[in-house]
Amino acid sequence: MIRFENVTKVYDQKARPALDSINLEIDRGEFAFLVGASGSGKSTFLRLVLKEDRASSGAVYVAGQNVANISSWRVPRLRRGIGVVFQDFRLLPQKTVFANVAFAMQVIGKSRSVIRDTVPEVLKTVGLEGKENRLPHELSGGEQQRVAIARAVVNRPGILLADEPTGNLDPTTSMGIMGVLDKINQNGTTVVMATHDDDIVNEMRKRVVELKNGVVIRDEAKALYTSMIPIVGQSRRLRDASGRDEPQIIPPRAGSRAEARAEIRTAGEAQA
Amino acid sequence: MRLAFVLSEIGSGLRRNLSMVISVILVTFVSLTFVGAAGMLQLQINQMKGYWYDKVQVAIFLCSDGSTAPGCATGPATPEQEDNLRKLLQSPAVAQYVNDFQYESKDDAYKHFKEQFSNSPIVDSVTPDQLPASFRINMKDPEKYEIISETFSSQAGVETVIDQRQLLERLFSAMNAASLVAVSVAGVMIICAILLIATTIRLSAFSRRRETGIMRLVGASKMVIQLPFILEGVIAAVIGAALASVTLWSVAHFFLGEVLSKQYPDTAFISPGQTLILAPALIGLGVVLAGTSSLLTLRRYLRV
Ligand SMILES: Nc1ncnc2c1ncn2[C@@H]1O[C@H](COP(=O)(O)OP(=O)(O)OP(=O)(O)O)[C@@H](O)[C@H]1O
Ligand SMILES: [Mg+2]
């Protein structure tokens, strides 16, 4: 569904690239976490998928199409196939919950009757039934994020990109949001979520792609926030297609898997 | 649905930016009024040319009652004197410069006068006797006026020889200068209007960046995102152009029609109806101004 071939993104010629020769494929229906320190290039990755920015070199494929070949007047169609959720919700403050979600349908010309039927359905999916007429400031952060998710998926995109969607939420609320995202993923939507939230990643046990300084240093299925299996080469994806040197390898940890996991948890908590 | 959406967006944009929208209306109003004033002067020139310019280049006025010129010592021109003049005009020495000529009797002159000043009260105070008969000469080359003037001024029965074209041209060049001034002022004002529209659109785009950001993300087309902004500017400019048209009409109606035509009853002024042909041009110009300046602004400030 999303494929990066040798993608490099340079914002500033003097600085290191934000993404450096990334090779990555995310299949249809998959749920992938994008983790890594601040500035490692997670948001940049998502922006390239949306064609908000163009890759400096390499090719980004979305749904089989090289986004570089999509002419500017066709970009809206690309974006209709991708829902996006952000840390700061980005709701329209003067519109009700219903109107915020309906907005996404209005602007692409959906008819009033379709909107009337679809919006309540989606609000139910994200667990907001009965709150249609609230304004955003009358909702909790978690509820606002649910509205944002509803808006992102109301046009049934094949892909949902989430950039730290739980960044402003407490752990319990975050788990609720993850439940919603998981449900959307179960319905067949490919979900890519950039996050710093180790608890969530550890709880979900989904694919984890770890970036460091613009390079993929780990790509594991059913993984944890921090590396459990030390060698990157063992991951199912990270065969470097370019044939260049393997990215930096994290030194192996001592001890059994279980110990390692415990260690990682504490490390993660310390980090948080 | 999309149309309703675009319309509601325009409505909210106009309301949110009301003071800027009003200033756009006023600036386009003033600038287009100057453009229209230049247009009105040109219409007025054409109006005056229409009657005289091509018909008459040189007029030989014959003596009438009360003429004091030396050639009129014998009183009003006699039929014999007129015949002599006609023969002279047909003689090869003069005819080589003349395309054709017409004799305008006192009655003809009165008739033309009435036609030309049909709007004007002076018509009632003039009688055929007061108007001189004349020969109206269409020159092959208007520059050769001197030859005609020298030949005829001293003839008996001729009161005066006038190059009407020269008189008119002096007037027209004054009016052209005035319309040039109007156009220059209009030019400056139009630059103001363009900059102001650009600023307004930019502010409008800025105040709605949340909406447009979301529209971009959910895949709204460029047209749906930009059209409300463009139409906002265009609507303001059209209102300004309409006000300018009304102003020009009022000037023609009240100032030219009621005031100037009383003060200068012997001048044919354009009618208010004629200024209305300027209105579509002004509105079109307003639309083009607003449309292009907002398009250019949006290209920079509202990336899609
Ligand atoms: N628009 C931009 N112009 C210049 N540099 C940028 C731009 N956006 C990102 N960068 C740089 O690119 C690098 C990667 O940034 P990015 O936003 O992708 O990181 P991130 O992994 O999302 O970080 P965070 O976890 O803090 O959101 C950073 O070094 C950042 O400074
Ligand atoms: Mg980021």
Side-chain angles (χ1 to χ4, degrees):
Chain A
M1 199 64 170
I2 299 171
R3 186 150 49 95
F4 276 51
E5 282 182 3
N6 241 335
V7 173
T8 297
K9 174 68 197 177
V10 181
Y11 285 111
D12 180 356
Q13 292 294 342
K14 280 163 274 173
R16 63 162 179 78
L19 289 179
D20 195 352
S21 302
I22 298 285
N23 284 287
L24 193 67
E25 178 155 9
I26 295 167
D27 291 331
R28 186 179 297 275
E30 211 171 357
F31 194 124
F33 285 111
L34 222 47
V35 302
S38 223
S40 55
K42 304 182 295 294
S43 300
T44 302
F45 180 95
L46 300 180
R47 290 169 58 79
L48 291 182
V49 174
L50 280 167
K51 212 185 176 203
E52 290 256 23
D53 265 321
R54 22 184 316 133
S56 309
S57 68
V60 176
Y61 291 88
V62 175
Q65 202 179 8
N66 186 343
V67 298
N69 297 338
I70 299 177
S71 59
S72 69
W73 63 275
R74 282 228 171 110
V75 168
R77 209 167 59 184
L78 167 76
R79 296 198 180 132
R80 283 177 206 189
I82 306 174
V84 200
V85 181
F86 298 95
Q87 181 173 1
D88 57 357
F89 319 138
R90 302 200 187 172
L91 302 178
L92 298 174
Q94 72 284 15
K95 284 192 194 291
T96 64
V97 168
F98 185 96
N100 262 287
V101 178
F103 186 74
M105 302 185 81
Q106 283 169 348
V107 300
I108 63 168
K110 289 285 167 65
S111 76
R112 212 176 291 249
S113 65
V114 172
I115 292 175
R116 225 176 9 236
D117 292 345
T118 317
V119 175
E121 207 177 290
V122 175
L123 285 176
K124 197 164 156 231
T125 313
V126 300
L128 282 177
E129 58 265 75
K131 302 207 164 82
E132 286 89 346
N133 295 320
R134 300 267 195 96
L135 289 170
H137 69 83
E138 298 167 338
L139 297 173
S140 73
E143 286 166 334
Q144 290 187 43
Q145 191 60 292
R146 284 166 194 257
V147 178
I149 294 171
R151 183 180 64 197
V153 300
V154 72
N155 291 320
R156 311 219 174 288
I159 298 172
L160 179 62
L161 305 179
D163 197 349
E164 301 182 36
T166 60
N168 281 341
L169 306 176
D170 68 48
T172 323
T173 316
S174 298
M175 281 321 296
I177 295 294
M178 291 318 293
V180 172
L181 291 181
D182 199 30
K183 190 149 94 184
I184 288 162
N185 177 239
Q186 304 289 320
N187 291 339
T189 305
T190 310
V191 179
V192 181
M193 171 169 159
T195 187
H196 289 294
D197 194 331
D198 50 344
D199 281 337
I200 281 175
V201 176
N202 292 339
E203 190 74 36
M204 297 289 288
R205 289 307 193 107
K206 301 283 189 188
R207 180 178 172 191
V208 174
V209 176
E210 184 171 350
L211 293 170
K212 186 179 180 189
N213 294 339
V215 178
V216 177
I217 56 166
R218 178 165 67 108
D219 184 353
E220 289 177 313
K222 297 197 171 121
L224 295 175
Y225 184 74
T226 325
S227 174
M228 185 173 65
I229 304 161
I231 307 299
V232 187
Q234 288 179 357
S235 102
R236 77 184 160 114
R237 306 257 163 201
L238 212 80
R239 277 157 291 136
D240 197 331
S242 66
R244 69 185 179 85
D245 287 343
E246 290 286 357
Q248 273 184 316
I249 289 166
I250 297 172
R253 287 171 196 271
S256 72
R257 277 190 172 211
E259 278 166 0
R261 195 177 302 172
E263 202 178 295
I264 289 153
R265 279 223 180 246
T266 45
E269 273 154 27
Q271 209 177 343
Chain B
M1 190 67 213
R2 224 179 305 198
L3 180 72
F5 175 78
V6 168
L7 289 179
S8 78
E9 284 290 295
I10 295 171
S12 77
L14 290 176
R15 247 174 289 125
R16 232 187 279 190
N17 261 332
L18 194 61
S19 62
M20 288 301 279
V21 168
I22 289 173
S23 55
V24 169
I25 290 175
L26 293 180
V27 171
T28 43
F29 162 46
V30 174
S31 56
L32 293 179
T33 302
F34 276 101
V35 172
M40 262 171 79
L41 281 167
Q42 291 303 320
L43 283 177
Q44 180 67 48
I45 291 172
N46 282 340
Q47 169 99 350
M48 292 164 114
K49 278 183 184 172
Y51 185 76
W52 292 304
Y53 210 85
D54 293 325
K55 288 180 188 163
V56 165
Q57 288 170 340
V58 176
I60 300 170
F61 285 101
L62 306 185
C63 297
S64 57
D65 296 331
S67 296
T68 53
C72 298
T74 55
T78 61
E80 294 82 53
Q81 286 171 337
E82 282 175 18
D83 275 345
N84 284 339
L85 291 171
R86 191 174 278 124
K87 282 197 190 98
L88 190 55
L89 276 168
Q90 285 161 341
S91 72
V94 175
Q96 58 178 316
Y97 302 112
V98 171
N99 260 344
D100 58 11
F101 69 90
Q102 277 152 9
Y103 175 70
E104 189 181 274
S105 68
K106 286 171 184 287
D107 287 332
D108 291 338
Y110 182 65
K111 206 173 81 209
H112 286 153
F113 184 84
K114 271 207 314 204
E115 270 168 23
Q116 193 185 343
F117 297 105
S118 55
N119 299 336
S120 167
I122 197 178
V123 170
D124 306 327
S125 64
V126 167
T127 62
D129 285 341
Q130 292 170 309
L131 297 170
S134 58
F135 285 102
R136 305 280 164 144
I137 301 167
N138 196 330
M139 301 285 292
K140 281 198 174 112
D141 176 2
E143 305 295 318
K144 296 289 194 306
Y145 154 75
E146 291 294 335
I147 294 165
I148 302 292
S149 174
E150 276 166 24
T151 314
F152 287 91
S153 297
S154 52
Q155 294 291 319
V158 172
E159 181 178 12
T160 177
V161 181
I162 288 179
D163 185 3
Q164 287 187 315
R165 193 176 177 123
Q166 235 168 41
L167 287 181
L168 288 174
E169 234 142 42
R170 215 168 302 149
L171 180 62
F172 294 156
S173 70
M175 290 170 78
N176 273 325
S179 65
L180 212 64
V181 170
V183 165
S184 322
V185 175
V188 175
M189 294 302 293
I190 281 174
I191 293 171
C192 284
I194 290 174
L195 294 178
L196 193 63
I197 290 168
T199 310
T200 306
I201 299 291
R202 206 165 70 201
L203 274 182
S204 191
F206 186 76
S207 74
R208 273 185 283 168
R209 65 195 182 287
R210 235 173 205 282
E211 279 91 336
T212 51
I214 292 164
M215 286 161 88
R216 256 158 56 78
L217 281 179
V218 301
S221 66
K222 197 168 162 171
M223 198 193 73
V224 169
I225 297 177
Q226 296 195 342
L227 202 60
F229 295 98
I230 296 171
L231 288 184
E232 238 175 85
V234 167
I235 287 171
V238 165
I239 294 174
L243 287 177
S245 306
V246 170
T247 305
L248 293 177
W249 182 87
S250 310
V251 166
H253 184 73
F254 296 107
F255 186 63
L256 296 184
E258 309 271 324
V259 181
L260 272 192
S261 71
K262 298 230 164 70
Q263 281 176 13
Y264 300 98
D266 52 352
T267 308
F269 289 106
I270 50 174
S271 67
Q274 277 175 287
T275 61
L276 290 182
I277 64 167
L278 291 172
L282 293 184
I283 289 172
L285 186 60
V287 168
V288 170
L289 277 185
T292 45
S293 79
S294 49
L295 261 180
L296 292 178
T297 314
L298 288 178
R299 250 215 328 237
R300 271 187 66 190
Y301 292 94
L302 203 69
R303 264 189 58 233
V304 177

